[in-house]
Amino acid sequence: MALLSNGSTVKLTSPGSGKQQLNNPNNHNDIFFSNLLNNLPRSRWDGVPSVPVTPSPPRNGGILNDGFLYSRVLGPIGTQSTNHDLGAVGTNPLTPSSSPPSNSSPGSVHGGLLSMVCGRCEMQASNRCLDCNDLLCETCVAKHQNHLPFQEHCVVLLSNLSPIGSIANSIANGSPTQNEPQCDSHSEVLRYVCEQCNKIVCQECTFREHKDHNCIAVAMFADGAQAKIQCVLESGKLGKKYIKASIDRAVAYSQAIERDAVETTQKIRKAMRYFMNAIEERERTLLEKVEKCRQQKNTSLSDQMAGLRSALAGLASTSDSLVKALDTANCLTPLELSTALTLGETQMQQFASMYKSLQPKEEFIAFVAPNFELIQELRLQGDVVITHQRVYNNTVTTQQLSSSGNMLIRRPIIRSINQTKILTPWDQGGSHIGTSLKAITSGKPNIGQSIPGSTLHVTLKSSMILSTSFGFDGQGDGQVSRPWGLCVDKDGNVIVADRRNNRIQVFYPDGSCKLIFGEKGSGNGQFDLPAGISTDPQNRIVVVDKDNHRIQIFTAAGNFVLKFGSYGKDCGQFQYPWDVAINSKGEMLVTDSRNHRIQLFNPDGHFISRFCFDGVNHSRSLKGLTTPRGVCFTPHGDVIVSDFENHRLLLIDNSLSKILALKGHEGTGAQEFSRPSGICCDDDGRVVVADSKNQRVLVFSPALDFLWAVDIRPSNNILIPSNLDEKDRPSDVAILPDGRLVVMVETSPDARDTSNPQKTFIQIY
């Protein structure tokens, strides 16, 4: 260690430090590529081989016969020369012929001799060990020379050394040289190599700029230079290899970029084509809708004109009868005259009612313009970015872009605030036509009620336990024969269409018989296989007289009120009507099964509108002839129809102008049907379906998500008595005011027409 004038020290590597690793050609240096190529071999020249040590000369105060001091590190150093031109290090600066140089550096004899302190005890230094390159006081010199490893070191007085850097040339290996390279800063011979800086320095540099660095003598550093140079060459060869590989990768990446550009161009064109195809498809859809609206409106006007012509013809006929009665009034009896008058007045009232209900309305086909803000949004859809990772199918997601350092957020499509709020589509578990249910407006009165006119909010209870069953097979009071339809009135009475007995029976909720009316026939109050049945807000009983192709209305006491309909295909006519549903306004919706349509009538039985499942309303979603069987209103006024032959449900908007959705297909799953029949809704919108051939009742949410099922087979439902018939099928359903489910079962068409005294047709869960 050497101590400077400021008290700092510098470490100099002594000979024989045991760094033989440089002789190993397999240890490669990472001088040039350590910071560039991670794959290059990494080792360090952390040592130099030992060099032969010149035998120590006889110690004589450190002075040789030739006037040179001998240092194992510096070699012979002149001490008595007075010739400053020789440049011998150690020339006595105190000789008369010598003068201190003007650029004496700090720490030299002239620059600060008195400030030099011992490197061991920090006393005033008076000597220097040339082998250790350390300053010593008089006390430490003795200790230094008495220590066995340092006995052969050369220690000289500071007064015998010339200032470092004051001599232009130095002497190495015992002979002075004139052309040795010198330090630019200190004009001293370059004798050391700083390993940290990888730079050749002088002794003065080791005390100053490189004071804390590891410095070794040039002779030691040069020993094994061939092995070091070989390592550098090997590193250069490896560097060439990696540089060429990088160039090859750049070429490959360039070719890949060309391929990506072509593929991305194709994908952009394909993606944009989807947008254009969607717009073109929307254009075709709107044009088709215009044509359908035109046909529907013309059909409606044609039906109204036909009805008005019929009313006109009837009015003319009635007028002729009245004129004739007036002309022959003197010849008629008072009874005949009164009959003609009352009949004429009744017919006039009917024709006036027809005129009122068949008034044509001026309507227009209008185009609702799209949201033109979408145009700007479409211009900004999609983007092209450069990512740092290969992605599948050359398609980038937002998450991948975020992880690769490129942020791209897919722009949303702006929706018009005037559009109808979407609640839930029927798009799970069955086919659909891509439309949605409309949201129920809060505070809006229910158009469709589970029990029309009821002041109670009816909510279906989740129960599969059979609580009551009644309606045994037979022809007596309280007995039924192959019934089909049922309903519940405001008082909680269960009303049944006793089909084979051609009558209507009213039961109390406990199953006891309350009222019976009707018989077989075609007159007023007579029936031919009645099917569907319902009550209106006035608590009147509306019966579908199926095989008489008409509808009959009775009071709650069973008195005949009116009838409408006849066999045919015209508006107001039927071919085997099957079920009827009534909304809170008293409007009656009838499924006209063989005409493949539904018809809507006002409370007086006058035709309002219809919806045909073929003809002008035919679409690809309506495959085959639709056979409407059961029907009900949803709480917000839309219509659900069970398609008996096609094993599905259809949702129709409340204006009877379009199909909103389809649901289901043939099967036994939770979202499948096999000949669905009667159907109803509670006041929360839950849908109850009699899945007849699957011998079960299915309950769905308003979005038609499956909730639960009631299996009516005793073998599958342990909650049902085993004495009930295994082959029975549910035909119709209704809900009591307290939320209990009422199920009408019918005998399987495959079963023999035999009586079972244990069989009940009406079950309450």
Side-chain angles (χ1 to χ4, degrees), residues 42-62:
R42 299 185 60 84
S43 63
R44 178 171 175 77
W45 293 336
D46 54 358
V48 294
S50 301
V51 296
V53 179
T54 305
S56 176
R59 293 178 58 86
N60 185 15

Side-chain angles (χ1 to χ4, degrees), residues 382-681:
D383 203 351
V384 177
V385 295
I386 297 178
T387 64
H388 301 303
Q389 57 182 348
R390 173 66 62 182
V391 291
Y392 176 72
N393 200 24
N394 201 25
T395 302
V396 187
T397 64
T398 302
Q399 182 178 4
Q400 290 169 331
L401 286 174
S402 177
S403 62
S404 64
N406 296 302
M407 280 302 299
L408 175 66
I409 300 177
R410 186 167 296 164
R411 298 183 64 87
I413 296 296
I414 298 177
R415 301 295 182 189
S416 173
I417 60 176
N418 296 324
Q419 291 181 344
T420 303
K421 180 182 176 181
I422 300 302
L423 181 62
T424 47
W426 281 8
D427 58 359
Q428 300 177 3
S431 59
H432 66 288
I433 53 179
T435 54
S436 305
L437 294 173
K438 287 184 262 182
I440 303 175
T441 305
S442 59
K444 182 178 179 180
N446 286 349
I447 297 176
Q449 291 182 277
S450 178
I451 303 175
S454 175
T455 59
L456 300 175
H457 186 86
V458 179
T459 300
L460 178 66
K461 293 181 178 179
S462 175
S463 175
M464 292 179 286
I465 302 175
L466 181 63
S467 61
T468 302
S469 65
F470 54 90
F472 289 93
D473 192 7
Q475 288 79 36
D477 293 348
Q479 295 180 332
V480 294
S481 177
R482 290 188 178 269
W484 187 90
L486 60 80
C487 68
V488 175
D489 65 9
K490 293 187 290 185
D491 299 326
N493 299 316
V494 180
I495 308 174
V496 178
D498 189 2
R499 183 170 49 168
R500 182 65 64 86
N501 289 327
N502 294 297
R503 61 186 181 182
I504 304 300
Q505 295 198 63
V506 181
F507 295 88
Y508 290 108
D510 62 359
S512 58
C513 183
K514 176 183 179 181
L515 176 67
I516 300 175
F517 62 91
E519 60 182 1
K520 182 174 177 59
S522 58
N524 296 339
Q526 296 179 333
F527 306 101
D528 188 1
L529 300 179
I533 192 168
S534 183
T535 59
D536 66 3
Q538 303 175 32
N539 213 27
R540 299 186 302 177
I541 302 173
V542 181
V543 182
V544 178
D545 191 4
K546 181 171 68 72
D547 282 21
N548 279 328
H549 314 287
R550 64 182 181 181
I551 307 297
Q552 295 194 73
I553 301 177
F554 302 86
T555 65
N559 299 319
F560 174 81
V561 177
L562 63 89
K563 63 182 179 182
F564 59 92
S566 60
Y567 182 83
K569 295 183 179 180
D570 293 337
C571 297
Q573 294 183 322
F574 306 102
Q575 287 192 29
Y576 299 98
W578 206 283
D579 198 9
V580 60
I582 302 175
N583 59 25
S584 59
K585 297 185 291 185
E587 296 173 337
M588 298 172 283
L589 187 65
V590 182
T591 55
D592 191 5
S593 62
R594 296 287 178 87
N595 284 327
H596 312 291
R597 65 184 180 184
I598 54 177
Q599 297 191 71
L600 184 66
F601 299 88
N602 69 8
D604 296 328
H606 299 300
F607 173 82
I608 297 177
S609 63
R610 64 180 178 178
F611 184 88
C612 298
F613 296 101
D614 52 9
V616 297
N617 294 309
H618 182 73
S619 65
R620 285 177 292 180
S621 62
L622 297 175
K623 299 177 181 178
L625 291 176
T626 299
T627 308
R629 178 63 62 92
V631 65
C632 71
F633 285 99
T634 64
H636 49 285
D638 292 335
V639 176
I640 304 178
V641 179
S642 62
D643 187 357
F644 187 75
E645 296 290 343
N646 291 310
H647 317 286
R648 60 187 176 184
L649 303 181
L650 299 92
L651 179 68
I652 304 169
D653 74 322
N654 51 22
S655 64
L656 300 186
S657 61
K658 60 182 177 181
I659 295 178
L660 296 178
L662 303 177
K663 183 71 175 185
H665 52 82
E666 185 174 11
T668 59
Q671 300 280 356
E672 298 172 333
F673 307 101
S674 181
R675 300 195 181 280
S677 191
I679 188 170
C680 71
C681 282

Side-chain angles (χ1 to χ4, degrees), residues 246-260:
S246 297
I247 294 174
D248 294 339
R249 286 198 302 272
V251 172
Y253 295 161
S254 176
Q255 296 173 351
I257 284 293
E258 294 296 328
R259 293 193 300 269
D260 288 347

Side-chain angles (χ1 to χ4, degrees), residues 480-486 497 499 531 578 629 644 675-678 690-693 695 712 725-732 743-751 759-763:
V480 294
S481 177
R482 290 188 178 269
W484 187 90
L486 60 80
R499 183 170 49 168
W578 206 283
R629 178 63 62 92
F644 187 75
R675 300 195 181 280
S677 191
D691 190 11
S692 64
K693 198 171 182 179
Q695 298 176 273
I712 68 169
D725 200 324
E726 184 73 20
K727 297 183 179 180
D728 286 345
R729 299 179 177 183
S731 61
D732 203 4
V743 180
M744 173 64 75
V745 298
E746 62 174 344
T747 304
S748 170
D750 301 331
K759 179 180 179 60
T760 55
F761 288 88
I762 305 164
Q763 300 175 357

Side-chain angles (χ1 to χ4, degrees), residues 84-89 163 165-171 177-183 186-189:
H84 288 260
D85 294 335
L86 295 176
V89 178
S166 63
I167 306 301
N169 297 306
S170 62
I171 301 174
T177 60
Q178 299 294 330
N179 298 321
E180 282 193 70
Q182 300 176 358
C183 176
H186 308 114
S187 300
E188 185 183 353
V189 175

Side-chain angles (χ1 to χ4, degrees), residues 69-80:
L69 294 176
Y70 183 83
S71 170
R72 297 176 63 190
V73 177
L74 303 178
I77 303 176
T79 60
Q80 302 297 329

Side-chain angles (χ1 to χ4, degrees), residues 294-304 571 610 616:
R294 183 189 68 81
Q295 294 181 9
Q296 289 176 355
K297 185 58 182 175
N298 286 337
T299 301
S300 176
L301 292 173
S302 177
D303 293 340
Q304 290 175 345
C571 297
R610 64 180 178 178
V616 297

